[in-house]
């Protein structure tokens, strides 16, 4: 199965790809100004590995598929068709015959092979989004593009929408070296937008006239970089921007702006146990701790959760919920397993606040206090440097750890497999053949009822084993100026500029 780097950091409607006629000339419109806290230091798809960079590059480059914010699904883009083998290991795409870069150069299956091979060869951050999944990529005699995967990946259509899989023009991206800052004047792309201006603090994108879809509803976009949240807040107060991509402290007093918050955050925080040694190789110890989670005490700014999956990707699953705080239930379970104030469940909780931020730190304090509320569980908190934390997670050198997890693609398998049958499971020393079999059934079946039942089995078994406990989600918030709207599910985790509307 693919080895997933869990910390890596996973929009245009299909009709945009139908017709392919040149757009009529339009009167230039004032750009939508978006305030961001992420700098523009790297515009190389081969070296991109975070959501802010993917957001920008996804508007300049179009791949085999694209996210559709109106249906919250992935549609074929440059691919005319897609099929997968019954074992899920071979994915075949045919490329639209009219696919081309904005200078008219055709895009073929070989273009994709060359671009993906370049990413793997150069070993930038983008390679980490391809290498764990793809064993080989080739062109058939009939001109189709074929991926051979290391293991079934039911969200592969979402994966190939990410910029590391995009076709790149060799005149803009040299085959033998990473090009973090290609020349704006000669940058050849194939997306909905083209880049026309780049400074240290601003990027301006305009609808690309070479795009063969409907441009009538789209506006130019200026991304304006602010080094500090306080600077972004001042820009909000001054009304200098149309949309703030991130919320800021004190942002609520910015008049004429509306806050839009992710309802059930895609970024989740989980408590994970190591089963390699005492005390958490004992199910009773894990269950006792599970009952001591006091979610109602969590600080403002996060949303507590009792389910392993966010609601928006659960696809109608009946998700079991983890129990609320119950000191008596915790002590009953632990006493029945011969734990007491003289034989305590005693460990350290490893955290990494410098990696995950202030809200994570505050909630780690609250969690630690609640777990020490009785007489049987004794927990110290060990704050770890980010590099050490990630290394210890990889090696499984922990007993109790607090991790944040947001997959590359919002799909049940992308959440569950790393935790219960992938890298994190290996680190924990956890294996459950029945759970793994249910995951594989869901990954390979094309029958919705079978997939639903399999994922429900996974969630039920995960709750019974109590090795991964959902705690909270940290929502993203955007601020929209009066009259600015964003259509569909086009804000989180990535903003889709073509869905922004101005009155």
């Amino acid at each position: 199965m693919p080895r997933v780097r869990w910390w890596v950091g996973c929009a245009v409607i299909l009709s945009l790809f139908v017709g392919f006629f040149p757009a009529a000339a339009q009167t230039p419109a004032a750009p939508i100004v978006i305030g961001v806290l992420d700098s523009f230091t790297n515009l190389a798809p081969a070296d991109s590995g975070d959501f802010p960079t993917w957001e920008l590059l996804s508007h300049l480059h179009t791949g085999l598929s694209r996210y559709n914010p109106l249906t919250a699904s992935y549609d074929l883009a440059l691919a005319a068709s897609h099929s997968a083998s019954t074992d899920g290991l071979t994915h075949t795409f045919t490329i639209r015959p009219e696919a081309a870069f904005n200078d008219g150069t055709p895009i073929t299956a070989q273009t994709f092979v060359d671009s993906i091979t370049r990413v793997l060869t150069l070993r930038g951050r983008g390679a980490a989004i391809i290498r764990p999944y793809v064993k080989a990529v080739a062109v058939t005699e009939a001109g189709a593009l074929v991926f051979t995967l290391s293991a079934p990946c039911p969200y592969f259509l979402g994966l190939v929408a990410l910029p590391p899989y995009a076709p790149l023009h060799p005149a803009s991206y040299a085959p033998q070296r990473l090009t973090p800052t290609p020349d704006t004047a000669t940058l050849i792309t194939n997306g909905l937008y083209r880049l026309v201006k780049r400074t240290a603090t601003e990027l301006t994108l305009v609808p690309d006239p070479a795009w063969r879809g409907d441009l009538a509803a789209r506006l130019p976009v200026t991304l304006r970089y602010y080094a500090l949240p306080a600077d972004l807040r001042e820009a909000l107060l001054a009304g200098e921007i149309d949309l703030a991509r991130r919320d800021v402290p004190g942002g609520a007093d910015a008049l004429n702006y509306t806050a839009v918050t992710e309802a059930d955050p895609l970024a989740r925080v989980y408590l994970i146990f190591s089963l390699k040694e005492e005390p958490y190789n004992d199910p009773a110890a894990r269950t006792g701790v599970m009952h001591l989670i006091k979610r109602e005490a969590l600080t403002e700014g996060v949303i507590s959760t009792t389910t392993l999956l966010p609601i928006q990707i659960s696809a109608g699953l009946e998700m079991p919920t983890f129990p609320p705080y119950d000191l008596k239930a915790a002590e009953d379970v632990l006493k029945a397993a011969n734990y007491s104030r003289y034989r305590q469940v005693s460990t350290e909780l490893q955290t990494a606040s410098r990696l995950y931020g202030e809200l994570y730190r505050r909630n780690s304090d609250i969690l630690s206090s609640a777990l020490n509320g009785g007489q049987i569980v004794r927990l110290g908190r060990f704050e770890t440097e980010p590099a050490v934390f990630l290394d210890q997670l990889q090696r499984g050198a922990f007993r109790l750890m607090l991790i944040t997890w947001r997959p590359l693609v919002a799909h049940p398998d992308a959440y569950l497999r790393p935790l219960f049958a992938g890298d994190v499971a290996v680190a924990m020393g956890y294996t459950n053949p029945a759970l793994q079999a249910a995951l594989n059934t869901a990954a390979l079946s094309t029958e919705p009822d079978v997939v639903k039942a399999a994922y429900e089995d996974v969630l039920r078994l995960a709750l019974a084993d109590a090795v991964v406990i959902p705690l909270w989600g940290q929502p993203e918030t955007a601020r929209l100026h009066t009259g600015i709207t964003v259509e569909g599910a086009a804000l989180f985790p990535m903003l889709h500029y073509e869905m922004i509307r101005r009155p």
Side-chain angles (χ1 to χ4, degrees):
M1 70 185 60
R3 292 186 59 77
V4 179
R5 291 183 181 274
W6 63 272
W7 62 91
V8 177
C10 235
V12 61
I13 59 176
L14 185 58
S15 61
L16 292 178
F17 294 99
V18 178
F20 288 87
F21 294 108
Q26 298 181 12
T27 301
I32 295 287
V33 180
I34 301 172
V36 300
L37 295 171
D38 305 289
S39 61
F40 318 122
T41 57
N42 193 336
L43 299 184
D47 200 27
S48 64
D50 57 82
F51 284 99
T53 305
W54 290 337
E55 174 180 298
L56 171 60
L57 293 176
S58 292
H59 293 85
L60 299 176
H61 303 275
T62 298
L64 296 165
S65 67
R66 279 186 72 91
Y67 179 74
N68 183 338
L70 297 180
T71 61
S73 62
Y74 288 90
D75 296 333
L76 296 181
L78 293 191
S81 66
H82 165 246
S83 61
S85 59
T86 55
D87 63 3
L89 296 178
T90 302
H91 288 253
T92 302
F93 297 87
T94 60
I95 308 303
R96 293 181 180 274
E98 64 271 38
F101 292 102
N102 58 14
D103 70 341
T105 302
I107 296 174
T108 66
Q110 188 62 50
T111 311
F112 280 96
V113 170
D114 293 343
S115 297
I116 291 169
T117 301
R118 174 182 179 272
V119 173
L120 293 171
T121 301
L122 295 178
R123 297 181 177 274
R125 288 182 298 167
I129 316 303
I130 301 176
R131 185 172 287 110
Y133 300 91
V134 178
K135 287 179 64 177
V137 57
V139 180
T140 68
E141 290 184 2
L145 177 65
V146 178
F147 290 89
T148 302
L149 305 189
S150 303
C153 181
Y155 52 91
F156 194 62
L157 263 187
L159 204 62
V160 297
L162 296 175
Y165 288 86
L168 302 180
H169 198 294
S172 295
Y173 296 94
Q176 302 303 323
R177 60 183 175 84
L178 288 172
T179 312
T181 55
D183 183 5
T184 300
T186 59
L187 180 60
I188 303 169
T189 55
N190 72 315
L192 284 81
Y193 290 80
R194 62 186 177 91
L195 183 62
V196 295
K197 176 185 175 183
R198 183 175 189 271
T199 70
T201 58
E202 282 193 0
L203 292 177
T204 297
L205 290 70
V206 299
D208 194 331
W211 179 261
R212 298 178 175 90
D214 181 6
L215 296 179
R218 293 190 287 118
L219 297 167
V221 169
T222 292
L223 303 179
R224 187 170 294 161
Y225 168 66
Y226 296 90
L228 300 172
D231 298 332
L232 181 57
R233 179 177 179 274
E234 289 303 311
L236 283 169
L237 291 171
E240 296 174 355
I241 57 180
D242 295 300
L243 188 153
R245 187 63 187 88
R246 301 285 186 269
D247 201 14
V248 292
D253 62 0
L255 300 179
N256 301 320
Y257 285 86
T258 300
V260 181
T261 301
E262 197 176 15
D264 189 10
L266 294 173
R268 317 286 274 195
V269 177
Y270 298 104
L271 185 68
I272 64 172
F273 300 86
S274 173
L275 280 62
K276 296 177 180 178
E277 57 184 280
E278 294 183 347
Y280 299 121
N281 57 356
D282 182 355
R286 302 195 301 273
T287 302
V289 170
M290 179 177 66
H291 283 291
L292 292 174
I293 305 298
K294 190 176 287 187
R295 293 177 180 84
E296 64 272 20
L298 295 176
T299 187
E300 293 183 9
V302 302
I303 297 175
S304 66
T305 180
T306 58
T307 61
L308 285 167
L309 296 177
I311 293 172
Q312 61 264 45
I313 69 158
S314 63
L317 299 175
E318 294 182 11
M319 292 191 290
T321 58
F322 284 71
Y325 174 82
D326 189 331
L327 178 59
K328 183 179 185 304
E331 294 191 338
D332 287 348
V333 167
L334 293 170
K335 287 176 181 177
N338 295 319
Y339 293 99
S340 68
R341 61 188 300 179
Y342 305 107
R343 179 179 176 250
Q344 297 177 325
V345 175
S346 179
T347 56
E348 286 186 330
L349 171 66
Q350 282 184 248
T351 58
S353 299
R354 287 188 62 187
L355 179 65
Y356 296 129
E358 176 62 20
L359 285 175
Y360 171 96
R361 184 196 64 76
R362 282 188 278 165
N363 283 305
S364 300
D365 291 340
I366 293 169
L367 177 67
S368 299
S369 296
L371 292 177
N372 282 300
Q375 295 183 333
I376 300 179
V377 175
R378 279 296 169 264
L379 190 76
R381 179 167 163 229
F382 182 60
E383 183 67 22
T384 313
E385 289 298 306
V388 175
F389 184 87
L390 297 176
D391 177 67
Q392 291 180 337
L393 175 62
Q394 281 189 290
R395 294 188 295 107
F398 64 91
R399 291 188 181 180
L400 193 62
M401 194 174 248
L402 204 59
I403 66 170
T404 295
W405 174 227
R406 183 170 72 178
L408 302 174
V409 178
H411 186 281
D413 191 271
Y415 276 88
L416 299 172
R417 189 174 296 273
L419 294 173
F420 298 103
D423 282 3
V424 179
V426 170
M428 293 188 297
Y430 171 75
T431 182
N432 183 325
L435 189 152
Q436 291 184 26
L439 270 175
N440 292 336
T441 296
L444 293 175
S445 178
T446 58
E447 298 293 329
D449 289 344
V450 173
V451 173
K452 180 176 183 293
Y455 280 132
E456 288 176 352
D457 284 345
V458 171
L459 296 171
R460 175 179 52 79
L461 291 167
L463 174 60
D465 287 344
V467 295
V468 177
I469 312 297
L471 300 177
W472 72 83
Q474 189 164 318
E476 293 189 43
T477 299
R479 289 193 173 269
L480 280 60
H481 199 273
T482 302
I484 297 295
T485 59
V486 180
E487 295 186 6
L491 270 170
F492 310 111
M494 291 187 280
L495 174 63
H496 295 269
Y497 307 155
E498 72 276 12
M499 294 291 116
I500 304 174
R501 302 289 181 260
R502 173 188 280 142

